[in-house]
């Protein structure tokens, strides 16, 4: 058994969160990755909407 660096409780030795305080590198990494994906996903959505609006405008002009 390993000890949690934050609260001192015993925890499993493999990388994972502490069952007592939920401190762990894996949780922070997952949260950070999720936040980055949400920001990137939102930005890509707006870019896609802009491209589609331009295409629709061109179709209306030439038809």
């Amino acid at each position: 058994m390993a000890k949690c660096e934050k609260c001192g409780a015993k925890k499993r030795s493999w990388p994972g969160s502490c069952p007592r305080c939920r401190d762990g590198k894996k949780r922070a990494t997952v949260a950070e990755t999720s936040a980055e994906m949400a920001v990137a996903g939102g930005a890509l959505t707006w870019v896609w909407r802009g491209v589609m609006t331009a295409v629709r405008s061109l179709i209306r002009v030439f038809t």
Side-chain angles (χ1 to χ4, degrees):
M1 298 288 286
K3 275 192 164 185
C4 175
E5 294 175 8
K6 184 176 178 183
C7 68
K10 292 181 181 179
K11 68 173 201 157
R12 293 180 182 92
S13 59
W14 61 76
S17 62
C18 172
R20 185 171 167 193
C21 66
R22 294 292 182 214
D23 182 44
K25 293 179 183 176
K26 189 173 184 180
R27 288 177 62 92
T29 304
V30 169
E32 182 181 346
T33 304
S34 299
E36 288 175 358
M37 288 177 59
V39 169
L44 289 176
T45 300
W46 283 105
V47 169
W48 180 250
R49 285 183 182 181
V51 168
M52 291 308 296
T53 301
V55 169
R56 286 185 191 119
S57 298
L58 287 173
I59 290 172
R60 287 182 189 159
V61 169
F62 291 114
T63 52

